[in-house]
Amino acid sequence: MKLLLFFGLVAVALAEVKRFEGDKVFRLKPNLDAHVNIIKDLAKSIEVDFWRPHSEDLVTIGTDVDIQIPARYLNLVYTTLDQSAMEYEIFIEDVQSAVDGQADSGASPRAHSYTKYNTWSEIEAWIDSTASANPTLVSKQVIGNTFEGRPLILLKIGKSSTSTKPAIFMDCGFHAREWITPAFCQWFVKEAVETYGSDTEMTSLLNDMDVYVMPVFNVDGYVFSHTNNRMWRKTRSKISGTSCIGTDPNRNFDAGWCTIGASSDPCSDTFCGKTPESEIETKTVADFIRRNKSTIKAYITVHSYSQLLLFPYSYTYNLAAHHSELLTVAQGATAALTSLYGTRYTSGPGAATIYPAAGGSDDWAYDLGIKYSYTFELRDTGFHGFLLPESQIKPTCEETMLAVKYIATHVKNNLY
């Protein structure tokens, strides 16, 4: 009886894994108001997943729209698009095949690797081993717990010192399905540890500054994206009054909260939360940064995809007080990035460069007084989107390291 119960539970667990056979990712090109309205009508009438921009409310004329269409709605969508004469391409022919094809790196699936997408348990074990193996350069701290009770972990990277040093705060894994971003945070730690003492720039940085690295911000969502739904984006908090789960943590900060580019609908992927910092993950990180505000001189948050380097503001089209310097640094960083593999990035303020969005962590950090506040949107520009193959982890991380080091060196040489 117990054995039957066990297999029954396994069957239920397996049944809960969301599959995407036959789903396609379209790139739509709305060139008329009518096209914009058609996309918005589709979003209201059928189940779709906006990859870029993140909701129908952000669709505008002249801006490409990447959207995942479930297989059962394809005939309707083809008919609608053909009747409208809207231009479109199909970027991913079968989403499930793309999900299955991500693991093309040949790395061992049984252990942590810098060139594969590690599970949270693998990352957690890696954090412990990295900290214990490098006691004079790396320390671990748990700053709180997620909604589901998992630890929110920071690594502090920097040469041990008796005095307080200025610091940079960097996080990855805000949105659960953006797997390339935790991969980068792990890569950064690897490079810091391995090149300290041999690379002049890294050695100088870690002698003079500390870097707080949060490998995964949205731990619950990241776990869920590995176990149940590869395309999950939000946190996993339960919200009173609705059966819908989770909040978009990058709409949950107190920066023009829920005014633009965010939704008050708990079922939306861009749900801003009941209040600013309603998510325990958001509040925990915000509290840590507030406590260390006097020493944190830069905030870097890593997202995907689009190949962009953004800075404030996203919740308004007004320019930041330090716009010129922020732009100059971003342009230098993207030039450094491009120098390795020729990957092209666009830089600029969030609202004007990609789309307006309130409640973002970079805007919040800047308004708190952290001048050097940046958001990376890593590879690619949509061909793979959130399903970047593992074979691209290494080149993506290598080139991004050049940009992050460029920003960090500027911060170190221009402390305020």
Side-chain angles (χ1 to χ4, degrees):
M1 185 68 186
K2 284 182 179 176
L3 194 61
L4 286 173
L5 181 60
F6 168 78
F7 282 116
L9 291 170
V10 169
V12 169
L14 290 173
E16 289 174 352
V17 178
K18 191 172 176 67
R19 304 281 297 178
F20 306 100
E21 277 91 355
D23 288 17
K24 296 184 188 297
V25 176
F26 287 70
R27 172 159 288 180
L28 310 180
K29 300 173 182 291
N31 295 317
L32 304 169
D33 279 332
H35 295 162
V36 172
N37 291 333
I38 285 166
I39 295 169
K40 291 184 175 183
D41 288 344
L42 277 175
K44 289 181 176 67
S45 59
I46 63 174
E47 175 197 334
V48 297
D49 182 0
F50 281 86
W51 285 25
R52 189 181 67 168
H54 297 307
S55 77
E56 66 271 23
D57 298 330
L58 297 169
V59 175
T60 57
I61 291 173
T63 301
D64 291 346
V65 176
D66 298 350
I67 188 170
Q68 180 180 336
I69 307 291
R72 63 187 177 278
Y73 298 123
L74 286 173
N75 288 338
L76 167 65
V77 169
Y78 279 129
T79 301
T80 303
L81 294 177
D82 291 341
Q83 287 176 348
S84 72
M86 191 189 316
E87 249 188 284
Y88 68 88
E89 299 173 74
I90 296 174
F91 269 19
I92 298 179
E93 284 285 351
D94 185 277
V95 173
Q96 189 60 47
S97 294
V99 169
D100 297 339
Q102 277 201 281
D104 67 347
S105 66
S108 165
R110 292 178 297 279
H112 180 276
S113 168
Y114 292 105
T115 54
K116 78 177 182 75
Y117 294 122
N118 298 294
T119 64
W120 171 244
S121 60
E122 290 166 340
I123 293 171
E124 209 174 357
W126 163 83
I127 288 170
D128 288 340
S129 64
T130 301
S132 61
N134 302 277
T136 62
L137 203 60
V138 180
S139 62
K140 165 194 165 181
Q141 51 189 305
V142 176
I143 60 170
N145 290 292
T146 67
F147 180 83
E148 293 181 340
R150 297 181 178 91
L152 291 167
I153 305 174
L154 280 184
L155 286 171
K156 185 167 83 167
I157 320 293
K159 184 64 177 172
S160 297
S161 171
T162 53
S163 58
T164 304
K165 296 191 290 182
I168 293 168
F169 189 103
M170 181 167 66
D171 58 49
C172 297
F174 248 80
H175 293 133
R177 61 189 177 186
E178 298 171 10
W179 285 7
I180 186 61
T181 74
F184 174 71
C185 268
Q186 292 163 71
W187 189 278
F188 178 89
V189 174
K190 168 184 106 68
E191 286 293 302
V193 168
E194 290 181 359
T195 66
Y196 178 81
S198 60
D199 178 85
T200 307
E201 195 176 11
M202 184 63 79
T203 304
S204 175
L205 172 65
L206 298 182
N207 281 342
D208 296 344
M209 299 190 77
D210 291 322
V211 183
Y212 294 108
V213 179
M214 188 171 208
V216 186
F217 179 102
N218 177 11
V219 181
D220 294 344
Y222 185 71
V223 170
F224 193 75
S225 72
H226 277 265
T227 58
N228 293 72
N229 181 351
R230 175 62 187 86
M231 302 317 301
W232 188 260
R233 170 182 165 90
K234 299 191 286 182
T235 63
R236 295 293 301 165
S237 58
K238 292 182 171 56
I239 302 146
S240 60
T242 177
S243 60
C244 294
I245 298 290
T247 290
D248 182 342
N250 207 39
R251 300 294 187 277
N252 193 231
F253 284 80
D254 195 5
W257 180 77
C258 220
T259 53
I260 191 168
S263 175
S264 56
D265 175 5
C267 299
S268 168
D269 262 356
T270 57
F271 177 50
C272 59
K274 291 287 191 181
T275 59
E277 298 181 22
S278 61
E279 299 307 283
I280 187 62
E281 297 86 354
T282 305
K283 179 162 177 49
T284 299
V285 170
D287 282 346
F288 178 87
I289 294 174
R290 276 190 286 260
R291 284 197 306 273
N292 294 277
K293 176 184 158 188
S294 61
T295 57
I296 295 175
K297 303 301 178 184
Y299 173 77
I300 298 172
T301 184
V302 186
H303 292 249
S304 72
Y305 61 95
S306 286
Q307 295 175 195
L308 302 169
L309 181 49
L310 308 173
F311 52 85
Y313 282 110
S314 291
Y315 71 80
T316 175
Y317 285 99
N318 294 338
L319 297 183
H322 305 97
H323 174 83
S324 295
E325 184 183 4
L326 292 171
L327 177 60
T328 301
V329 173
Q331 289 171 336
T334 55
L337 185 154
T338 302
S339 71
L340 190 57
Y341 294 112
T343 309
R344 296 283 171 186
Y345 268 58
T346 301
S347 51
T353 306
I354 181 167
Y355 44 71
S361 61
D362 57 348
D363 284 356
W364 172 83
Y366 181 80
D367 282 346
L368 188 69
I370 300 172
K371 178 165 73 165
Y372 300 109
S373 185
Y374 288 100
T375 295
F376 280 87
E377 295 280 355
L378 301 182
R379 290 190 189 187
D380 57 7
T381 56
F383 186 76
H384 296 289
F386 301 119
L387 302 176
L388 197 70
E390 287 181 336
S391 56
Q392 290 201 34
I393 293 175
K394 183 174 184 283
T396 301
C397 292
E398 287 174 335
E399 67 191 10
T400 308
M401 275 298 301
L402 297 179
V404 169
K405 284 169 72 174
Y406 184 96
I407 294 170
T409 297
H410 180 88
V411 174
K412 182 176 75 72
N413 295 334
N414 295 271
L415 294 173
Y416 55 95

